[in-house]
Amino acid sequence: MSRFFTQGDSSSESSSSDEEELYSDEEAKQKSEEESSEQEEEEEDESSSSSDEGGKSGASKFLREAASSDESEDEDKVTVVKSAKDKRLEELEGVVKVIDNAVRINDWSTIATEFDRLNRQVTKITASEKAPKQYIRIIADLEDFMNEAIAKQKVSTKKMSATNARGLNAMKQKIKKNNKDYTTEIEKYREDKFDYLMSEEEEDVVPAERPKKAKAAYVDGFDIGDDEGFSTVGRGGKTLQYTPESILKHLRSIVESRGKKNTDRAEQIRIMEKLLEVADTPYRMIRVLLTLISTRFDLITGSTATFMSQENWNSADHEFGTLLETLEENRNMVVVENAEEWEDDEKPPSPTAGETLKIPGSIVSVLERIDDELTRSLQHIDPHTAEYIDRLKDEQALYSKILRALLYIENLKKDPKLEQTEDGANRVVMRRLEHVYFKPAQVVHVLEETSWNSIPSKLDSDITPRANDSDNDTLVQTLSTYLFKHSADIIRARAYLCQVYYFALHDHYYKARDMLLMSHLQETIGNFPINTQILFNRTLVQVGLCAFRANLVYESQNTLQEICGSGRQKELLAQGVMIQRYSQVTPEQERLERQRQLPFHMHINLELLECVYLTCSMLLEIPLLAQTGSSPDVKKRVISKTYRRLLEFHERQIFTGPPENTRDHVMQASRALAAGEWKKSADLINSIKIWDLMAESDKIKAMLSSQIQEEGLRTYLFTYAPFYDTLAVSTLASMFEISERKVAAVVSKMISHEELAAALDQVNSAIIFRKGVELSRLQSLALTLSDKASGLIEANERTLEQRTQGTPNAFERQGGQGGRGGRGGRGRGGGQRGDRGGSKTRGGQQFGGGALGGAIKA
């Protein structure tokens, strides 16, 4: 074999032997392979050298001499063979050196990173060997250094960097958890560090005793197997069993795995349910319940589900009730947000007599999440199915939990040592108020009575005492007043609106109106969040409906104008998403809009709202149209553009069939009222079936008939006044079937408001009309033409200003006063006419309108 091939083989063999040294775990096998490879190399080298010396010359001899010189140099180097154990120990020493250097410069970020690497290497070593003493030394020194750093940080004015602080916080958790397993060795090291490190004999490291999952004993015959006899199996094929002592460790591992990928939350819930069954102390039960409820909320995070299933929600609600009961029975334990986490998983805290144990958590946040999940489920369930009704029944159980949580928060506020703010109580009171403000008094009474009956009689509230549960008006007022005093900004505004809504719903119109006006919210509502703006719109609509029920037509129409006149009632009241054809709404905005939608049982009937608005507009617009038509000199004004547009569209129709919906009924009633057929108008309005949804619908229909009679009388007088000299009051009374006294009152009101040019003769019980200057047909047409020309000029001027906005001297022609004379008349020669229109407004912004404009102004 040539020397070339021999060298190639040896190099490949040596490289393979190096890899075996790196990756082999069996020391004996590795040594045997290395020795055999060395022997083969020596034999091959000898044979190749002898063959080359005997048969090569010239260039081959030169190459041979170069190769032999290289070999001599290689022979001088001694190859050291290391076992896998020695290599791991060297790597361990290298990591320990890096940690020591990081300790000297106080680099906690590097320490945290290298500490994880150190533990991974020690795990490989301790799988079959003892824990190295260097490892015991470094973890003991790290714990001491960490305690010194924490103590210095508390008294030092100079703060750590954010990276260093994160590393220190991470190490604080890791060291405490890790060093528990080596407590005995650490104590030996601290007693005499030098002797411990110099002793040749290494004793076995015995970890501190801890409850092992695989070897934990059953508690009172507790079997974690399922109904079919199967048991949960952990790593190594060992059956998992749970004891009270291992609860805190299980909870810590579950909390640390939250938010990580491939986490089986359903399995975590099953584990915590088993832990809850074996929990033997109130502290452990409270810790398990807090973690279990939070994990249930995580089930919908990252999943395709948009809301919690009813089964999970009921479980969370039941567990929340159990949590409140446990806290009520153990007054020495409280769940507050400003509590510190308990670090020792082996030993639970044991408070002394009179001491209050603080457990980290938030009762208010859990309650709000449960409430939000119920609302979200009601948003997505079809309201016309039985499932929605079944889901709505859960509101009673939720309201009872809200009331009970409020009692618990009130109890916490009584203890000044806990330093509880008003924020928690305000949030719970606001949730309670939002569940009752839109309900009728009878429903609120049942809700309150059932909730108080489910709460132990020894519990009572300072805000709303148990004895006052029968007075529903006082309940809403009390809750609102409490929030006025103790809250600010958004919560206070929402409480105010809820109280106004409740008053309007129960026909206290003047109270609701005065409160709404005194709040001045209509001036600043644009600065509030969208949810509060929706509540303001709902309150405004409810006040308008209340005014309608109180027979205040003008006030009702004026209040509803802003919402109903926009044509966006669904969107403004959060009762539906209006997707416009060319809207630039992003998917994210649409998703947020859908999240703001109200559940169906909180909706205000939009058809009823439209019916009330159009009916009020009819009662105001028809007399106004009659007055404008008979008196051209009266300034034209529009009360409701929406109503006018619908009326014009209805009048343009060639064929009008029988009314099919609410809008058709109102439009045909309007035409009948304008023609003087008040009976037909009243019949059409009263035949609308939507009135049956209102309380005391018969009373509403009687009120509408009375209003139509009165407005029919006013319309008749406006329309036919030019054709009468005198008109008997009795004639009008018989024509509209109302009393003469009422006719006289209506006519007197019209005369006093200067709507009717007439006088009332009370002796003869007659109306005497005053005849003014009657216009001829030509004069009326001329006035109409002048009005239209004025409108055309104004529109032309607005268009011109828009197109020439920002252009200097836009209305001047080159050539000075010739041309059009500035913006005034035509002034072709720049004479008097040009001066009159142009000299005054040369380069200005006044538009005279030319000759036609001058004629009209003259």
Side-chain angles (χ1 to χ4, degrees):
M1 182 184 290
S2 68
R3 183 171 183 81
F4 174 76
F5 289 104
T6 305
Q7 288 179 350
D9 294 341
S10 63
S11 64
S12 63
E13 289 171 0
S14 62
S15 64
S16 64
S17 66
D18 290 339
E19 293 177 357
E20 290 170 357
E21 288 178 5
L22 285 174
Y23 298 110
S24 173
D25 290 334
E26 299 179 2
E27 185 177 352
K29 181 180 178 181
Q30 182 183 15
K31 289 182 179 179
S32 62
E33 290 176 354
E34 290 170 354
E35 291 172 357
S36 61
S37 64
E38 288 177 359
Q39 292 174 0
E40 290 175 359
E41 286 177 3
E42 292 174 359
E43 293 174 356
E44 290 172 355
D45 290 341
E46 291 174 358
S47 61
S48 61
S49 62
S50 61
S51 61
D52 290 338
E53 288 174 359
K56 302 280 184 177
S57 63
S60 300
K61 184 177 180 181
F62 174 77
L63 294 173
R64 184 187 67 223
E65 290 176 356
S68 62
S69 64
D70 293 340
E71 287 175 2
S72 61
E73 292 177 1
D74 293 340
E75 287 173 358
D76 294 338
K77 298 179 182 178
V78 180
T79 304
V80 180
V81 179
K82 296 180 181 179
S83 65
K85 176 185 174 181
D86 294 337
K87 289 184 179 181
R88 290 194 182 105
L89 288 175
E90 282 186 2
E91 292 175 358
L92 184 69
E93 290 176 0
V95 176
V96 169
K97 288 181 182 179
V98 174
I99 294 178
D100 286 335
N101 294 332
V103 166
R104 292 190 187 95
I105 62 175
N106 199 25
D107 186 0
W108 283 102
S109 177
T110 304
I111 293 173
T113 306
E114 295 298 324
F115 187 75
D116 293 337
R117 184 181 167 194
L118 179 70
N119 282 334
R120 287 195 297 270
Q121 293 176 352
V122 169
T123 303
K124 296 178 183 178
I125 295 174
T126 55
S128 59
E129 304 290 339
K130 307 167 186 177
K133 290 187 177 182
Q134 287 292 334
Y135 176 72
I136 300 298
R137 178 190 70 79
I138 194 64
I139 62 174
D141 292 347
L142 274 178
E143 186 174 4
D144 298 336
F145 181 62
M146 180 194 68
N147 294 332
E148 292 176 6
I150 294 174
K152 289 180 182 178
Q153 189 66 19
K154 289 182 179 179
V155 297
S156 175
T157 56
K158 185 178 179 181
K159 294 184 178 180
M160 284 185 176
S161 63
T163 307
N164 235 11
R166 282 197 296 271
L168 178 59
N169 291 333
M171 286 300 298
K172 183 167 61 173
Q173 304 291 336
K174 292 175 183 177
I175 290 177
K176 287 185 178 180
K177 183 177 180 181
N178 183 74
N179 288 11
K180 290 175 187 177
D181 298 340
Y182 305 97
T183 306
T184 306
E185 290 298 315
I186 291 174
E187 289 176 357
K188 289 181 181 180
Y189 167 73
R190 286 175 176 167
E191 287 175 1
D192 194 342
K193 298 182 180 180
F194 182 77
D195 290 343
Y196 180 82
L197 294 175
M198 294 302 293
S199 62
E200 296 179 359
E201 183 181 356
E202 295 185 352
E203 300 177 357
D204 293 342
V205 178
V206 182
E209 293 183 1
R210 54 177 177 172
K212 296 182 180 179
K213 297 180 181 178
K215 297 183 179 180
Y218 289 100
V219 178
D220 296 332
F222 173 70
D223 186 3
I224 62 167
D226 57 14
D227 296 337
E228 299 179 359
F230 294 99
S231 300
T232 306
V233 177
R235 292 181 179 178
K238 299 177 181 179
T239 304
L240 294 177
Q241 299 176 5
Y242 306 100
T243 61
E245 292 78 14
S246 66
I247 286 178
L248 297 181
K249 284 194 174 183
H250 286 298
L251 293 180
R252 182 174 295 279
S253 64
I254 289 173
V255 171
E256 289 175 353
S257 66
R258 288 185 67 182
K260 295 183 178 179
K261 291 182 178 180
N262 302 325
T263 302
D264 190 352
R265 298 186 181 92
E267 178 63 25
Q268 290 181 346
I269 289 175
R270 284 193 292 270
I271 292 173
M272 283 187 284
E273 288 174 348
K274 295 168 186 175
L275 294 176
L276 186 60
E277 294 178 12
V278 300
D280 57 346
T281 62
Y283 174 77
R284 288 170 175 154
M285 185 178 293
I286 292 171
R287 288 287 303 274
V288 173
L289 286 170
L290 286 171
T291 311
L292 178 56
I293 296 172
S294 301
T295 309
R296 288 194 186 277
F297 294 143
D298 291 342
L299 278 176
I300 62 171
T301 304
S303 64
T304 56
T306 53
F307 59 93
M308 282 181 71
S309 64
Q310 187 170 3
E311 180 183 358
N312 271 331
W313 188 92
N314 288 333
S315 299
D317 181 68
H318 175 71
E319 288 153 5
F320 182 66
T322 306
L323 176 63
L324 291 176
E325 291 176 5
T326 308
L327 291 172
E328 290 165 0
E329 294 170 359
N330 301 273
R331 295 291 185 181
N332 61 333
M333 298 181 186
V334 295
V335 176
V336 290
E337 297 182 15
N338 55 0
E340 294 184 0
E341 185 75 26
W342 182 257
E343 301 294 343
D344 192 354
D345 295 340
E346 300 288 344
K347 181 182 177 183
S350 54
T352 59
E355 182 185 358
T356 302
L357 176 61
K358 296 181 180 180
I359 302 173
S362 177
I363 295 293
V364 180
S365 298
V366 172
L367 176 66
E368 289 179 335
R369 183 64 186 272
I370 293 175
D371 190 9
D372 292 340
E373 289 297 337
L374 178 62
T375 303
R376 193 174 292 117
S377 65
L378 291 173
Q379 287 174 345
H380 290 86
I381 296 174
D382 185 2
H384 304 293
T385 59
E387 183 184 0
Y388 189 89
I389 303 300
D390 293 338
R391 200 76 182 88
L392 195 57
K393 293 177 183 177
D394 294 331
E395 189 180 15
Q396 174 65 66
L398 175 61
Y399 187 80
S400 300
K401 301 300 185 303
I402 292 174
L403 180 56
R404 196 159 190 169
L406 179 59
L407 301 182
Y408 177 74
I409 298 297
E410 288 181 29
N411 184 59
L412 293 183
K413 287 175 56 182
K414 295 177 183 177
D415 190 353
K417 296 179 181 179
L418 299 177
E419 300 177 355
Q420 292 296 301
T421 61
E422 293 287 345
D423 180 63
N426 292 341
R427 288 156 63 187
V428 179
V429 171
M430 192 67 232
R431 291 281 174 168
R432 186 180 176 188
L433 183 60
E434 288 179 344
H435 276 273
V436 298
Y437 81 94
F438 63 92
K439 291 183 172 68
Q442 299 85 352
V443 178
V444 175
H445 176 71
V446 174
L447 198 64
E448 281 285 313
E449 186 178 5
T450 307
S451 299
W452 280 111
N453 291 337
S454 64
I455 297 175
S457 57
K458 62 181 180 180
L459 299 177
D460 202 357
S461 172
D462 296 333
I463 301 175
T464 56
R466 186 188 292 262
N468 298 339
D469 62 336
S470 59
D471 193 352
N472 301 312
D473 292 340
T474 307
L475 171 67
V476 175
Q477 189 169 357
T478 303
L479 296 176
S480 301
T481 305
Y482 178 84
L483 293 174
F484 297 159
K485 293 179 180 178
H486 299 91
S487 64
D489 301 333
I490 297 175
I491 294 183
R492 178 180 292 180
R494 290 185 67 85
Y496 206 92
L497 292 172
C498 287
Q499 188 174 5
V500 172
Y501 189 103
Y502 188 82
F503 283 150
L505 184 65
H506 294 82
D507 294 332
H508 301 303
Y509 170 72
Y510 292 104
K511 270 187 183 181
R513 182 200 64 181
D514 295 344
M515 284 187 66
L516 193 60
L517 292 177
M518 287 188 297
S519 68
H520 296 285
L521 280 173
Q522 59 272 17
E523 301 170 4
T524 59
I525 193 63
N527 301 327
F528 285 88
I530 295 180
N531 289 334
T532 306
Q533 295 182 30
I534 291 170
L535 180 58
F536 177 81
N537 294 338
R538 285 167 52 80
T539 304
L540 201 63
V541 166
Q542 200 59 245
V543 170
L545 294 176
C546 180
F548 177 77
R549 292 192 296 270
N551 199 13
L552 301 171
V553 175
Y554 177 76
E555 288 82 354
S556 175
Q557 198 277 341
N558 195 25
T559 306
L560 298 176
Q561 172 68 35
E562 187 175 358
I563 303 297
C564 299
S566 64
R568 299 166 52 226
Q569 297 94 314
K570 274 189 178 182
E571 184 179 352
L572 294 175
L573 299 177
Q575 296 182 188
V577 180
M578 298 182 65
I579 302 177
Q580 300 177 0
R581 188 173 183 180
Y582 300 106
S583 62
Q584 301 294 328
V585 179
T586 63
E588 179 67 17
Q589 291 174 336
E590 185 178 349
R591 185 182 63 82
L592 293 174
E593 185 69 24
R594 292 189 184 279
Q595 286 181 353
R596 287 191 287 264
Q597 299 304 300
L598 295 173
F600 183 76
H601 67 282
M602 297 178 66
H603 284 192
I604 298 172
N605 193 303
L606 296 179
E607 187 178 357
L608 176 64
L609 181 62
E610 183 187 28
C611 184
V612 170
Y613 174 71
L614 292 179
T615 303
C616 293
S617 300
M618 178 194 74
L619 295 174
L620 296 176
E621 284 280 11
I622 294 300
L624 182 62
L625 288 171
Q627 181 184 10
T628 306
S630 60
S631 303
D633 55 333
V634 176
K635 183 179 179 181
K636 291 184 178 181
R637 62 189 182 93
V638 178
I639 296 177
S640 172
K641 292 183 179 179
T642 305
Y643 174 81
R644 287 281 184 98
R645 187 169 58 252
L646 292 174
L647 187 62
E648 290 175 0
F649 175 77
H650 190 268
E651 288 177 347
R652 284 199 302 268
Q653 290 182 345
I654 300 174
F655 172 76
T656 305
E660 297 179 357
N661 51 31
T662 302
R663 190 175 296 177
D664 290 345
H665 277 85
V666 176
M667 292 301 107
Q668 292 195 17
S670 301
R671 295 185 65 178
L673 185 61
E677 301 176 0
W678 68 270
K679 286 186 178 181
K680 181 180 179 182
S681 176
D683 292 340
L684 286 168
I685 292 295
N686 290 335
S687 63
I688 300 175
K689 296 181 180 180
I690 199 71
W691 302 123
D692 295 334
L693 297 179
M694 301 184 75
E696 300 179 352
S697 58
D698 294 336
K699 183 178 178 181
I700 297 294
K701 291 178 181 179
M703 180 266 292
L704 286 173
S705 299
S706 175
Q707 285 285 347
I708 290 173
Q709 284 176 329
E710 182 178 340
E711 298 304 326
L713 172 61
R714 296 179 71 243
T715 304
Y716 183 83
L717 290 175
F718 282 136
T719 305
Y720 298 105
F723 304 98
Y724 282 103
D725 290 329
T726 60
L727 183 61
V729 173
S730 58
T731 305
L732 292 174
S734 61
M735 186 182 299
F736 292 95
E737 298 181 2
I738 52 179
S739 62
E740 294 185 6
R741 184 176 181 180
K742 184 67 178 290
V743 173
V746 171
V747 172
S748 300
K749 189 175 180 180
M750 294 173 68
I751 293 172
S752 65
H753 290 170
E754 296 182 356
E755 296 175 343
L756 187 65
L760 184 62
D761 186 357
Q762 296 182 351
V763 177
N764 298 319
S765 186
I767 305 170
I768 304 172
F769 295 94
R770 293 197 299 269
K771 297 296 182 180
V773 178
E774 295 185 1
L775 300 177
S776 64
R777 178 71 175 170
L778 181 60
Q779 291 173 330
S780 299
L781 292 175
L783 287 174
T784 304
L785 178 61
S786 67
D787 291 340
K788 291 184 177 180
S790 299
L792 182 62
I793 292 169
E794 291 175 1
N796 189 22
E797 183 177 359
R798 284 195 299 268
T799 304
L800 189 61
E801 288 180 353
Q802 288 176 359
R803 292 189 176 184
T804 58
Q805 190 173 8
T807 306
N809 304 324
F811 303 110
E812 286 189 4
R813 286 180 176 270
Q814 295 180 356
Q817 294 187 3
R820 303 183 71 89
R823 290 189 65 189
R826 305 181 74 84
R828 294 182 182 274
Q832 276 189 334
R833 294 178 63 187
D835 291 342
R836 184 179 64 182
S839 61
K840 182 179 179 181
T841 62
R842 181 179 179 86
Q845 296 294 320
Q846 299 295 325
F847 184 72
L852 181 59
I856 294 173
K857 289 180 180 179

